[in-house]
């Protein structure tokens, strides 16, 4: 009778299509729905494909049936706060620190931390392979006693994804991530993988030690906009609604459709598929969540939390 959604979000056109009918049925069955979200309802599926036709009926239904509470804005000041950053400022940071910058000067500190946490010197590590779905293996090049040490390139610039990160989080209570560069959303694949990695490690309360080119505040150098192949999306300026006319265009990577006297793509942007555009539109928002979590992951309170490995079998 009660259905709870944690971190409710809509980034995909297929999800937008089914939500109205799904929630209509839930409400008809008198199901009590409780949800948390990092976005207010009107900002869900922002600038999405066919938003007006596909998604606004769901919003109308939601507003009729659900009470909303904004817990992020203090009514007396109308200021939005990052409570994880406030907690970091009021809580003790772990000593020695676990977010080290600039990374070029931190090798000795990393070696010391690694030995302190794992009980092994940096030259006493070994390669460790962990099983991943469909018979694959994820290789940890330096491992000791439940602690993994990998570079940003090995984690975010290789052919790996969420399932690899889940296996890593299931095997290691602490992960060292070295040589993290200053990130820009134009580095879409690297940024997306890093956000996914942090989300998964955070969810299981895995402890993280990071060496980075810059501070957390500077890590995501442009969280409000990013370059697509042929244009720029800016989250500060609402974009006109993007919609597909007639039968639409290709949803593949190259979406351009040539007509007798026109050139058109389903997304309104050349070389950007429907799926890519929806995902990229959400990266700028996800960056803020990742930054917020990185604040918390430096605190003594976070390091005192019990590690909660996933129940995975492959």
């Amino acid at each position: 009778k009660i259905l709870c959604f944690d971190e409710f979000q809509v980034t995909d056109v297929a999800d937008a299509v089914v939500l109205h009918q799904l929630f209509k049925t839930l409400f008809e069955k008198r199901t009590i729905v409780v949800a948390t979200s990092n976005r207010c309802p009107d900002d869900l599926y922002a600038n999405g494909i066919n938003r007006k036709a596909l998604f606004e009926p769901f919003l109308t239904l939601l507003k009729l049936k659900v009470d909303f509470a904004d817990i992020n804005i203090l009514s007396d000041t109308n200021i939005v706060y990052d409570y994880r950053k406030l907690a970091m400022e009021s809580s003790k940071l772990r000593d020695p620190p676990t977010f080290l910058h600039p990374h070029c000067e931190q090798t000795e500190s990393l070696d010391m931390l690694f030995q302190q946490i794992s009980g092994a010197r940096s030259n006493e590590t070994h390669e460790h392979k962990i099983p991943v779905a469909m018979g694959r293996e994820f290789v940890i090049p330096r491992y000791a006693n439940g602690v993994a040490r990998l570079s940003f390139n090995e984690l975010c610039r290789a052919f790996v994804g969420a399932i690899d990160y889940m296996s890593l989080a299931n095997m290691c209570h602490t992960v060292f991530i070295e040589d993290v560069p200053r990130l820009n959303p134009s580095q879409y694949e690297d940024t997306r993988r890093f956000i996914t990695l942090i989300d998964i490690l955070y969810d299981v309360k895995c402890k993280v030690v990071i060496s980075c080119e810059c501070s957390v505040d500077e890590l995501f150098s442009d969280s409000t906009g990013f370059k697509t192949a042929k244009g720029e999306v800016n989250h500060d300026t609402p974009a006109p609604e993007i919609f597909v006319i007639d039968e639409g265009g290709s949803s593949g990577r190259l979406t351009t459709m040539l007509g007798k006297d026109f050139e058109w793509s389903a997304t309104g942007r050349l070389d950007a598929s429907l799926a890519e555009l929806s995902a990229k539109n959400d990266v700028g928002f996800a960056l803020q969540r990742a930054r917020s979590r990185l604040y918390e992951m430096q605190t003594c309170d976070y390091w005192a939390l019990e590690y909660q490995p996933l129940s995975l079998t492959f």
Side-chain angles (χ1 to χ4, degrees), residues 47 222 224-226 232-239 269 281:
N47 302 329
D222 178 14
T224 58
F226 53 88
E232 181 173 337
V233 178
N234 189 317
H235 292 271
D236 290 337
T237 304
R269 294 172 175 83
N281 267 334

Side-chain angles (χ1 to χ4, degrees), residues 47-242:
N47 302 329
I49 306 297
N50 283 16
R51 187 180 191 275
K52 187 176 184 65
L54 297 178
F55 193 70
E56 289 192 2
F58 163 70
L59 282 182
T60 301
L61 175 67
L62 206 62
K63 291 173 181 178
L64 284 173
K65 298 291 187 178
V66 175
D67 294 324
F68 302 113
D70 189 339
I71 62 174
N72 200 37
I73 295 180
L74 301 181
S75 58
D76 56 337
T77 62
N78 210 39
I79 297 174
V80 176
Y81 288 102
D82 184 332
Y83 286 98
R84 291 192 184 100
K85 187 174 184 180
L86 289 176
M88 184 189 79
E89 292 170 350
S90 62
S91 173
K92 287 182 62 178
L93 295 181
R94 191 182 185 280
D95 186 23
T98 56
F99 194 98
L100 309 172
H101 65 93
H103 55 64
C104 59
E105 301 173 6
Q106 302 300 335
T107 301
E108 186 175 335
S109 297
L110 284 170
D111 290 344
M112 182 188 70
L113 271 169
F114 187 84
Q115 183 175 351
Q116 179 187 95
I117 296 169
S118 70
R121 294 185 176 90
S122 59
N123 60 358
E124 296 174 337
T125 62
H126 61 273
E127 181 180 276
H128 187 64
K129 296 180 180 178
I130 52 179
V132 184
M134 301 180 68
R136 292 175 51 244
E137 291 182 324
F138 180 77
V139 178
I140 303 172
R142 293 168 291 173
Y143 174 87
N145 303 323
V147 182
R149 190 167 177 177
L150 304 101
S151 70
F152 178 85
N153 285 351
E154 289 164 338
L155 284 166
C156 301
R157 287 178 175 160
F159 292 108
V160 294
I163 193 64
D164 301 280
Y165 301 151
M166 292 170 68
S167 297
L168 176 66
N170 192 51
M171 179 63 63
C172 302
H173 58 77
T174 306
V175 175
F176 280 62
I177 309 171
E178 298 185 45
D179 301 328
V180 177
R182 189 189 307 268
L183 293 170
N184 188 293
S186 63
Q187 302 167 274
Y188 172 64
E189 294 296 338
D190 301 348
T191 304
R192 180 182 59 81
R193 286 193 180 103
F194 185 73
I195 291 169
T196 302
L197 172 63
I198 295 302
D199 284 345
I200 289 171
L201 297 179
Y202 179 89
D203 284 343
V204 301
K205 304 302 176 267
C206 182
K207 309 311 181 283
V208 178
V209 178
I210 295 176
S211 70
C212 186
E213 178 183 350
C214 56
S215 68
V216 174
D217 288 331
E218 301 168 316
L219 176 56
F220 304 116
S221 59
D222 178 14
S223 61
T224 58
F226 53 88
K227 299 290 182 180
T228 60
K230 294 287 183 71
E232 181 173 337
V233 178
N234 189 317
H235 292 271
D236 290 337
T237 304
E241 183 183 7
I242 300 168

